[in-house]
Amino acid sequence: MIEIYGHGGDRETAAGLYGLPAADFLDFSANINPLGPPDEVKEALMNGLQSVVRYPDPGHRSLKGLLSRRLRVSPERISIGNGAAESMALILLGLRPQRVGLVEPCFSEYAELSLKFGGSINRVYGKASLQWRADVEDIQRLITEVDLLFMGQPNNPNGVQYGRDELLAVAAAAERSGTYLVLDEAFMDFIPAAERITLLPELERYSRVILIRSMTKFYAIPGLRLGYALAAPDVIRRMTNQQVTWSVNGFALLAGEACLSSGQAYEDETLKLIAQERQRLLSGLSELGCGVTASQTNYLLVRAPGMWKAVELQDALGRRGVLIRSCAMYPGLTDSHFRIAVKDQEANQVLLSVLEAVLEGERRGGR
Ligand SMILES: Cc1ncc(COP(=O)(O)O)c(C=O)c1O
Protein backbone atom coordinates (compact mmCIF):
# COMPACT_ATOMS: atom_id res chain seq x y z
CA MET A 1 0.00 0.00 0.00
CA ILE A 2 1.21 3.50 -0.81
CA GLU A 3 -0.72 5.45 1.84
CA ILE A 4 1.99 5.24 4.50
CA TYR A 5 1.31 8.91 5.38
CA GLY A 6 -2.44 8.30 5.30
CA HIS A 7 -3.10 10.06 1.98
CA GLY A 8 -2.99 9.72 -1.79
CA GLY A 9 -0.56 11.66 -4.00
CA ASP A 10 2.56 10.04 -2.51
CA ARG A 11 4.68 9.51 -5.63
CA GLU A 12 7.88 8.98 -3.63
CA THR A 13 6.50 5.93 -1.83
CA ALA A 14 5.10 4.63 -5.14
CA ALA A 15 8.52 5.07 -6.78
CA GLY A 16 10.13 3.02 -4.02
CA LEU A 17 7.49 0.29 -4.27
CA TYR A 18 7.04 -0.01 -8.00
CA GLY A 19 10.51 0.95 -9.25
CA LEU A 20 9.48 3.79 -11.60
CA PRO A 21 10.57 7.46 -11.43
CA ALA A 22 8.20 9.47 -9.18
CA ALA A 23 7.35 11.92 -11.98
CA ASP A 24 6.33 9.15 -14.41
CA PHE A 25 3.21 7.94 -12.57
CA LEU A 26 -0.26 8.80 -13.77
CA ASP A 27 -1.68 9.78 -10.40
CA PHE A 28 -5.37 9.12 -9.78
CA SER A 29 -4.82 8.99 -6.02
CA ALA A 30 -4.92 12.80 -5.45
CA ASN A 31 -7.93 14.83 -6.64
CA ILE A 32 -6.37 17.77 -8.44
CA ASN A 33 -7.86 19.83 -11.30
CA PRO A 34 -6.53 18.18 -14.49
CA LEU A 35 -6.30 21.59 -16.23
CA GLY A 36 -3.41 22.60 -13.96
CA PRO A 37 -3.27 26.11 -12.41
CA PRO A 38 -4.83 29.07 -14.28
CA ASP A 39 -2.35 30.99 -16.49
CA GLU A 40 -2.75 33.98 -14.16
CA VAL A 41 -1.21 31.91 -11.35
CA LYS A 42 1.80 30.88 -13.39
CA GLU A 43 2.37 34.50 -14.46
CA ALA A 44 1.97 35.82 -10.91
CA LEU A 45 4.53 33.32 -9.63
CA MET A 46 7.05 34.08 -12.38
CA ASN A 47 6.63 37.84 -12.00
CA GLY A 48 6.64 37.58 -8.22
CA LEU A 49 9.95 35.72 -7.90
CA GLN A 50 11.70 38.86 -6.60
CA SER A 51 9.28 38.97 -3.62
CA VAL A 52 11.14 35.97 -2.16
CA VAL A 53 13.33 38.51 -0.32
CA ARG A 54 10.32 39.91 1.57
CA TYR A 55 8.28 38.50 4.45
CA PRO A 56 4.72 37.59 3.50
CA ASP A 57 1.90 39.67 5.03
CA PRO A 58 1.17 37.93 8.37
CA GLY A 59 -2.39 39.34 8.23
CA HIS A 60 -3.02 37.97 4.71
CA ARG A 61 -4.91 41.23 4.08
CA SER A 62 -4.94 41.37 0.31
CA LEU A 63 -6.15 37.76 -0.13
CA LYS A 64 -8.72 38.20 2.64
CA GLY A 65 -9.99 41.34 0.90
CA LEU A 66 -10.49 39.46 -2.38
CA LEU A 67 -12.17 36.51 -0.65
CA SER A 68 -14.35 38.87 1.34
CA ARG A 69 -15.67 40.52 -1.83
CA ARG A 70 -16.11 37.27 -3.74
CA LEU A 71 -17.84 35.35 -0.92
CA ARG A 72 -19.64 38.36 0.65
CA VAL A 73 -18.19 37.53 4.04
CA SER A 74 -16.47 40.19 6.16
CA PRO A 75 -12.68 39.83 6.64
CA GLU A 76 -12.98 39.23 10.41
CA ARG A 77 -14.83 36.02 9.56
CA ILE A 78 -11.97 34.68 7.39
CA SER A 79 -8.84 32.78 8.44
CA ILE A 80 -6.23 31.90 5.78
CA GLY A 81 -4.35 28.62 6.26
CA ASN A 82 -1.34 26.79 4.88
CA GLY A 83 -3.79 24.45 3.14
CA ALA A 84 -7.22 23.50 4.44
CA ALA A 85 -5.26 21.02 6.57
CA GLU A 86 -3.77 23.88 8.58
CA SER A 87 -7.23 25.42 8.96
CA MET A 88 -8.40 22.13 10.52
CA ALA A 89 -5.45 22.11 12.89
CA LEU A 90 -6.09 25.73 13.92
CA ILE A 91 -9.74 24.97 14.63
CA LEU A 92 -8.75 22.11 16.93
CA LEU A 93 -5.98 24.11 18.60
CA GLY A 94 -8.17 27.18 19.03
CA LEU A 95 -11.33 25.44 20.26
CA ARG A 96 -9.72 22.51 22.15
CA PRO A 97 -12.60 20.01 21.77
CA GLN A 98 -12.28 17.01 24.09
CA ARG A 99 -14.70 14.83 22.12
CA VAL A 100 -14.71 14.98 18.33
CA GLY A 101 -17.47 13.46 16.19
CA LEU A 102 -16.84 11.93 12.77
CA VAL A 103 -19.23 10.77 10.08
CA GLU A 104 -17.38 7.85 8.50
CA PRO A 105 -16.13 7.18 5.95
CA CYS A 106 -14.40 10.57 5.84
CA PHE A 107 -11.08 12.36 5.26
CA SER A 108 -8.57 10.67 7.58
CA GLU A 109 -6.95 13.90 8.75
CA TYR A 110 -9.99 14.75 10.93
CA ALA A 111 -9.17 11.80 13.19
CA GLU A 112 -5.38 12.16 12.84
CA LEU A 113 -5.36 15.78 13.97
CA SER A 114 -8.00 15.33 16.67
CA LEU A 115 -6.00 12.51 18.26
CA LYS A 116 -2.71 14.42 17.88
CA PHE A 117 -4.20 17.32 19.81
CA GLY A 118 -5.58 15.19 22.62
CA GLY A 119 -9.22 14.68 21.59
CA SER A 120 -11.14 11.40 21.60
CA ILE A 121 -13.28 10.23 18.68
CA ASN A 122 -16.96 9.22 18.47
CA ARG A 123 -18.20 7.90 15.15
CA VAL A 124 -21.35 7.29 13.18
CA TYR A 125 -21.29 5.44 9.86
CA GLY A 126 -22.66 6.03 6.38
CA LYS A 127 -24.80 3.43 4.67
CA ALA A 128 -24.27 1.87 1.25
CA SER A 129 -27.97 2.50 0.51
CA LEU A 130 -27.43 6.26 1.10
CA GLN A 131 -24.29 6.40 -1.10
CA TRP A 132 -22.32 6.24 2.18
CA ARG A 133 -24.12 9.21 3.76
CA ALA A 134 -25.19 8.66 7.37
CA ASP A 135 -28.75 8.99 8.67
CA VAL A 136 -29.27 12.57 9.79
CA GLU A 137 -30.85 11.31 13.03
CA ASP A 138 -27.57 9.53 13.82
CA ILE A 139 -25.60 12.71 13.13
CA GLN A 140 -27.96 14.79 15.29
CA ARG A 141 -27.55 12.31 18.15
CA LEU A 142 -23.77 12.36 17.76
CA ILE A 143 -23.83 16.16 17.94
CA THR A 144 -25.28 16.00 21.45
CA GLU A 145 -22.39 13.73 22.52
CA VAL A 146 -19.39 15.71 21.23
CA ASP A 147 -17.82 19.18 21.41
CA LEU A 148 -17.02 19.39 17.71
CA LEU A 149 -18.17 17.45 14.66
CA PHE A 150 -16.49 17.23 11.23
CA MET A 151 -18.58 16.61 8.11
CA GLY A 152 -17.48 16.62 4.48
CA GLN A 153 -19.76 18.56 2.14
CA PRO A 154 -19.25 17.08 -0.41
CA ASN A 155 -17.69 14.25 1.52
CA ASN A 156 -14.40 12.56 0.70
CA PRO A 157 -14.21 9.69 -0.39
CA ASN A 158 -17.80 9.29 -1.70
CA GLY A 159 -18.23 12.74 -3.33
CA VAL A 160 -21.86 13.29 -2.30
CA GLN A 161 -23.53 16.21 -0.52
CA TYR A 162 -26.14 16.20 2.23
CA GLY A 163 -29.42 17.84 1.23
CA ARG A 164 -30.26 21.38 2.31
CA ASP A 165 -32.88 20.34 4.87
CA GLU A 166 -30.46 17.81 6.34
CA LEU A 167 -27.73 20.42 6.60
CA LEU A 168 -30.09 22.92 8.26
CA ALA A 169 -31.22 20.24 10.74
CA VAL A 170 -27.63 19.37 11.63
CA ALA A 171 -26.65 23.06 12.00
CA ALA A 172 -29.68 23.71 14.22
CA ALA A 173 -28.75 20.71 16.39
CA ALA A 174 -25.19 22.06 16.68
CA GLU A 175 -26.41 25.51 17.79
CA ARG A 176 -28.77 23.93 20.35
CA SER A 177 -26.04 21.78 21.92
CA GLY A 178 -23.25 24.35 21.63
CA THR A 179 -21.29 21.89 19.46
CA TYR A 180 -19.00 23.25 16.76
CA LEU A 181 -19.96 21.96 13.33
CA VAL A 182 -17.06 21.97 10.85
CA LEU A 183 -18.29 21.57 7.29
CA ASP A 184 -15.33 20.73 5.07
CA GLU A 185 -16.10 22.19 1.65
CA ALA A 186 -12.64 21.49 0.19
CA PHE A 187 -14.17 20.13 -3.04
CA MET A 188 -17.23 22.41 -3.24
CA ASP A 189 -15.81 24.46 -6.14
CA PHE A 190 -15.97 21.38 -8.40
CA ILE A 191 -19.78 21.34 -8.11
CA PRO A 192 -21.72 23.69 -10.43
CA ALA A 193 -22.98 26.75 -8.49
CA ALA A 194 -26.66 25.83 -8.92
CA GLU A 195 -26.07 22.40 -7.31
CA ARG A 196 -23.92 23.51 -4.36
CA ILE A 197 -25.52 22.96 -0.97
CA THR A 198 -23.73 25.27 1.43
CA LEU A 199 -24.56 27.37 4.50
CA LEU A 200 -22.25 30.13 3.23
CA PRO A 201 -25.03 32.66 2.42
CA GLU A 202 -26.47 32.41 5.95
CA LEU A 203 -23.21 31.89 7.84
CA GLU A 204 -23.79 35.01 9.99
CA ARG A 205 -26.85 33.36 11.57
CA TYR A 206 -24.65 30.71 13.19
CA SER A 207 -22.18 31.03 16.05
CA ARG A 208 -21.05 27.38 15.89
CA VAL A 209 -20.83 26.62 12.18
CA ILE A 210 -17.38 26.72 10.56
CA LEU A 211 -16.75 26.23 6.83
CA ILE A 212 -13.39 25.07 5.50
CA ARG A 213 -12.31 25.46 1.89
CA SER A 214 -9.19 24.45 0.00
CA MET A 215 -7.63 26.27 -2.93
CA THR A 216 -5.14 23.50 -3.66
CA LYS A 217 -7.50 21.16 -5.47
CA PHE A 218 -9.61 23.35 -7.74
CA TYR A 219 -6.70 25.63 -8.69
CA ALA A 220 -4.19 22.74 -8.83
CA ILE A 221 -1.63 24.20 -6.41
CA PRO A 222 -1.24 21.43 -3.78
CA GLY A 223 2.51 22.05 -3.66
CA LEU A 224 1.96 25.65 -2.54
CA ARG A 225 -0.60 24.92 0.23
CA LEU A 226 -3.53 27.32 0.59
CA GLY A 227 -6.94 27.09 2.23
CA TYR A 228 -9.26 29.11 4.44
CA ALA A 229 -11.93 28.88 7.10
CA LEU A 230 -15.07 30.98 7.48
CA ALA A 231 -16.67 31.35 10.91
CA ALA A 232 -17.87 33.74 13.61
CA PRO A 233 -15.24 36.40 14.49
CA ASP A 234 -14.50 34.93 17.95
CA VAL A 235 -13.75 31.52 16.39
CA ILE A 236 -11.47 33.15 13.82
CA ARG A 237 -9.64 35.04 16.61
CA ARG A 238 -9.09 31.81 18.54
CA MET A 239 -7.68 30.18 15.40
CA THR A 240 -5.41 33.15 14.62
CA ASN A 241 -4.03 33.06 18.17
CA GLN A 242 -2.69 29.56 17.47
CA GLN A 243 -1.22 30.25 14.03
CA VAL A 244 2.53 30.43 13.52
CA THR A 245 3.28 33.88 12.10
CA TRP A 246 4.05 33.67 8.31
CA SER A 247 2.88 30.04 8.09
CA VAL A 248 1.23 30.97 4.79
CA ASN A 249 4.14 31.77 2.46
CA GLY A 250 4.36 34.69 0.05
CA PHE A 251 4.02 32.60 -3.12
CA ALA A 252 0.90 30.89 -1.82
CA LEU A 253 -0.62 34.33 -1.11
CA LEU A 254 0.38 35.61 -4.56
CA ALA A 255 -1.04 32.50 -6.21
CA GLY A 256 -4.25 32.74 -4.19
CA GLU A 257 -4.82 36.32 -5.31
CA ALA A 258 -4.17 35.32 -8.92
CA CYS A 259 -6.62 32.38 -8.61
CA LEU A 260 -9.36 34.71 -7.46
CA SER A 261 -8.61 37.18 -10.25
CA SER A 262 -8.59 34.47 -12.92
CA GLY A 263 -11.53 34.62 -15.29
CA GLN A 264 -14.80 32.74 -15.35
CA ALA A 265 -13.53 30.74 -18.36
CA TYR A 266 -11.19 28.59 -16.20
CA GLU A 267 -14.03 27.72 -13.82
CA ASP A 268 -16.45 26.95 -16.64
CA GLU A 269 -13.92 24.82 -18.48
CA THR A 270 -13.09 22.87 -15.30
CA LEU A 271 -16.72 22.15 -14.49
CA LYS A 272 -17.47 21.07 -18.05
CA LEU A 273 -14.44 18.78 -18.18
CA ILE A 274 -15.17 17.18 -14.80
CA ALA A 275 -18.85 16.52 -15.59
CA GLN A 276 -18.00 14.99 -18.98
CA GLU A 277 -15.07 12.89 -17.79
CA ARG A 278 -16.79 11.72 -14.60
CA GLN A 279 -19.52 10.28 -16.81
CA ARG A 280 -16.95 8.60 -19.08
CA LEU A 281 -15.23 6.99 -16.07
CA LEU A 282 -18.52 5.97 -14.51
CA SER A 283 -19.65 4.18 -17.67
CA GLY A 284 -16.24 2.61 -18.31
CA LEU A 285 -15.84 1.36 -14.74
CA SER A 286 -19.39 -0.02 -14.66
CA GLU A 287 -18.71 -1.91 -17.91
CA LEU A 288 -15.67 -3.46 -16.24
CA GLY A 289 -17.90 -4.74 -13.42
CA CYS A 290 -16.97 -2.11 -10.79
CA GLY A 291 -19.57 -0.57 -8.45
CA VAL A 292 -19.39 3.24 -8.58
CA THR A 293 -20.88 5.76 -6.11
CA ALA A 294 -22.81 8.64 -7.72
CA SER A 295 -20.28 11.38 -6.95
CA GLN A 296 -21.07 15.05 -7.66
CA THR A 297 -17.46 16.09 -7.66
CA ASN A 298 -14.01 15.29 -9.14
CA TYR A 299 -13.42 11.81 -7.69
CA LEU A 300 -15.24 8.50 -7.63
CA LEU A 301 -15.53 5.89 -4.91
CA VAL A 302 -15.31 2.49 -6.59
CA ARG A 303 -15.84 -1.11 -5.48
CA ALA A 304 -13.50 -3.53 -7.24
CA PRO A 305 -15.16 -6.37 -9.16
CA GLY A 306 -15.09 -10.05 -8.19
CA MET A 307 -12.70 -11.04 -5.44
CA TRP A 308 -10.26 -8.19 -6.03
CA LYS A 309 -9.02 -6.36 -2.98
CA ALA A 310 -8.23 -2.65 -3.42
CA VAL A 311 -4.58 -3.10 -2.41
CA GLU A 312 -4.09 -5.90 -4.95
CA LEU A 313 -5.55 -3.74 -7.68
CA GLN A 314 -3.46 -0.80 -6.48
CA ASP A 315 -0.30 -2.93 -6.78
CA ALA A 316 -1.23 -4.33 -10.19
CA LEU A 317 -1.93 -0.80 -11.53
CA GLY A 318 1.03 0.75 -9.70
CA ARG A 319 3.45 -1.65 -11.39
CA ARG A 320 2.00 -0.36 -14.69
CA GLY A 321 2.52 3.30 -13.68
CA VAL A 322 -1.03 4.16 -12.58
CA LEU A 323 -1.78 5.18 -8.97
CA ILE A 324 -5.16 4.74 -7.29
CA ARG A 325 -6.15 5.40 -3.68
CA SER A 326 -7.02 2.32 -1.65
CA CYS A 327 -9.95 3.05 0.69
CA ALA A 328 -9.61 -0.25 2.58
CA MET A 329 -8.48 1.64 5.70
CA TYR A 330 -11.53 3.96 5.81
CA PRO A 331 -13.73 2.94 8.74
CA GLY A 332 -17.09 1.86 7.35
CA LEU A 333 -15.85 0.82 3.89
CA THR A 334 -14.64 -2.60 2.72
CA ASP A 335 -11.25 -3.88 1.57
CA SER A 336 -12.49 -3.76 -2.03
CA HIS A 337 -13.08 0.02 -2.07
CA PHE A 338 -10.77 2.44 -3.83
CA ARG A 339 -11.00 6.04 -5.03
CA ILE A 340 -9.91 7.61 -8.30
CA ALA A 341 -9.64 11.24 -9.36
CA VAL A 342 -11.41 12.45 -12.49
CA LYS A 343 -8.66 13.56 -14.86
CA ASP A 344 -8.61 14.55 -18.54
CA GLN A 345 -9.86 12.31 -21.35
CA GLU A 346 -6.46 10.94 -22.32
CA ALA A 347 -5.50 10.02 -18.75
CA ASN A 348 -8.92 8.53 -17.98
CA GLN A 349 -8.69 6.39 -21.08
CA VAL A 350 -5.29 5.08 -19.95
CA LEU A 351 -6.75 4.20 -16.54
CA LEU A 352 -9.65 2.30 -18.09
CA SER A 353 -7.36 0.44 -20.53
CA VAL A 354 -4.84 -0.53 -17.86
CA LEU A 355 -7.62 -1.60 -15.51
CA GLU A 356 -9.22 -3.67 -18.25
CA ALA A 357 -5.87 -5.34 -19.02
CA VAL A 358 -5.35 -6.17 -15.34
CA LEU A 359 -8.86 -7.57 -14.89
CA GLU A 360 -8.65 -9.46 -18.19
CA GLY A 361 -5.26 -10.89 -17.13
CA GLU A 362 -6.90 -12.33 -14.05
CA ARG A 363 -9.67 -13.93 -16.07
CA ARG A 364 -6.94 -15.62 -18.09
CA GLY A 365 -5.41 -16.90 -14.89
CA GLY A 366 -2.52 -14.60 -13.88
CA ARG A 367 -2.28 -11.43 -11.75
C1 LIG B 1 -11.76 16.50 2.29
C2 LIG B 1 -10.43 17.19 2.32
N1 LIG B 1 -10.32 18.30 3.05
C3 LIG B 1 -9.15 18.96 3.12
C4 LIG B 1 -8.02 18.49 2.48
C5 LIG B 1 -6.72 19.23 2.61
O1 LIG B 1 -6.62 20.21 1.62
P1 LIG B 1 -5.35 21.12 1.50
O2 LIG B 1 -4.50 20.59 0.41
O3 LIG B 1 -5.92 22.48 1.17
O4 LIG B 1 -4.66 21.13 2.83
C6 LIG B 1 -8.10 17.34 1.71
C7 LIG B 1 -6.90 16.84 0.98
O5 LIG B 1 -6.90 15.81 0.39
C8 LIG B 1 -9.34 16.67 1.63
O6 LIG B 1 -9.47 15.55 0.91
Side-chain angles (χ1 to χ4, degrees):
M1 95 168 197
I2 52 175
E3 295 86 5
I4 59 171
Y5 290 96
H7 297 289
D10 184 354
R11 288 167 178 271
E12 296 302 323
T13 301
L17 267 178
Y18 305 125
L20 297 171
D24 287 3
F25 286 99
L26 201 48
D27 185 9
F28 286 84
S29 71
N31 308 315
I32 304 301
N33 188 335
L35 291 182
D39 290 341
E40 288 85 343
V41 170
K42 294 179 212 160
E43 276 160 34
L45 290 174
M46 297 302 283
N47 297 336
L49 271 184
Q50 73 286 355
S51 69
V52 74
V53 298
R54 293 197 294 271
Y55 277 94
D57 172 14
H60 321 129
R61 283 161 285 197
S62 182
L63 181 60
K64 269 192 195 172
L66 284 173
L67 276 172
S68 167
R69 284 194 286 285
R70 169 183 278 232
L71 304 174
R72 301 203 171 89
V73 170
S74 62
E76 70 268 22
R77 292 176 180 272
I78 305 176
S79 156
I80 308 291
N82 182 321
E86 191 194 29
S87 301
M88 274 165 218
L90 294 177
I91 290 168
L92 293 165
L93 288 168
L95 304 178
R96 291 276 163 202
Q98 290 299 304
R99 299 159 306 168
V100 175
L102 301 183
V103 184
E104 300 279 8
C106 64
F107 182 48
S108 61
E109 205 66 29
Y110 307 151
E112 279 277 319
L113 290 169
S114 301
L115 295 170
K116 257 180 207 165
F117 299 143
S120 62
I121 309 277
N122 286 16
R123 297 180 153 92
V124 292
Y125 294 89
K127 296 180 174 165
S129 59
L130 298 174
Q131 307 279 326
W132 304 103
R133 290 184 199 85
D135 274 328
V136 167
E137 293 72 30
D138 288 347
I139 302 176
Q140 284 174 302
R141 185 180 35 75
L142 181 60
I143 278 182
T144 64
E145 296 166 1
V146 296
D147 308 306
L148 182 145
L149 180 107
F150 281 106
M151 261 174 90
Q153 177 74 353
N155 191 49
N156 179 3
N158 46 340
V160 300
Q161 301 183 90
Y162 283 86
R164 187 167 166 74
D165 289 348
E166 294 173 313
L167 214 50
L168 289 172
V170 172
E175 294 289 320
R176 271 197 308 277
S177 345
T179 298
Y180 289 103
L181 171 65
V182 182
L183 295 167
D184 181 354
E185 299 188 342
F187 292 98
M188 189 59 93
D189 290 339
F190 286 98
I191 299 179
E195 294 165 32
R196 284 176 205 155
I197 302 174
T198 171
L199 297 181
L200 176 64
E202 57 252 69
L203 190 63
E204 285 193 19
R205 273 181 28 203
Y206 298 105
S207 64
R208 298 276 156 168
V209 174
I210 304 167
L211 306 183
I212 294 183
R213 292 199 171 171
S214 169
M215 295 185 70
T216 71
K217 291 134 195 331
F218 191 81
Y219 296 104
I221 50 169
L224 274 176
R225 321 295 307 120
L226 191 63
Y228 55 92
L230 307 167
D234 71 300
V235 172
I236 296 295
R237 271 193 301 277
R238 287 166 76 175
M239 292 174 66
T240 308
N241 286 343
Q242 298 296 326
Q243 190 166 29
V244 173
T245 310
W246 309 299
S247 74
V248 184
N249 74 73
F251 291 125
L253 290 172
L254 263 184
E257 288 166 34
C259 291
L260 298 175
S261 317
S262 68
Q264 187 63 35
Y266 176 83
E267 289 176 32
D268 293 346
E269 202 186 333
T270 301
L271 294 180
K272 190 166 158 228
L273 178 73
I274 295 299
Q276 196 174 297
E277 290 305 313
R278 189 176 56 224
Q279 190 53 45
R280 176 194 314 282
L281 282 172
L282 207 143
S283 312
L285 290 163
S286 306
E287 276 171 31
L288 292 174
C290 298
V292 190
T293 302
S295 162
Q296 289 181 274
T297 184
N298 64 323
Y299 48 86
L300 291 167
L301 178 64
V302 186
R303 194 167 28 73
M307 301 298 283
W308 278 95
K309 289 191 168 39
V311 279
E312 294 167 348
L313 214 44
Q314 182 181 63
D315 272 346
L317 293 172
R319 284 197 294 274
R320 292 162 172 83
V322 175
L323 302 181
I324 60 170
R325 168 74 157 103
S326 165
C327 292
M329 67 295 277
Y330 278 76
L333 292 181
T334 70
D335 60 5
S336 65
H337 277 104
F338 63 94
R339 193 195 64 208
I340 54 162
V342 176
K343 295 171 80 79
D344 60 23
Q345 179 177 354
E346 193 185 339
N348 296 336
Q349 209 48 58
V350 172
L351 172 80
L352 291 173
S353 307
V354 173
L355 188 57
E356 186 176 11
V358 165
L359 297 174
E360 191 54 35
E362 184 201 35
R363 276 182 211 115
R364 289 209 224 93
R367 278 190 185 176

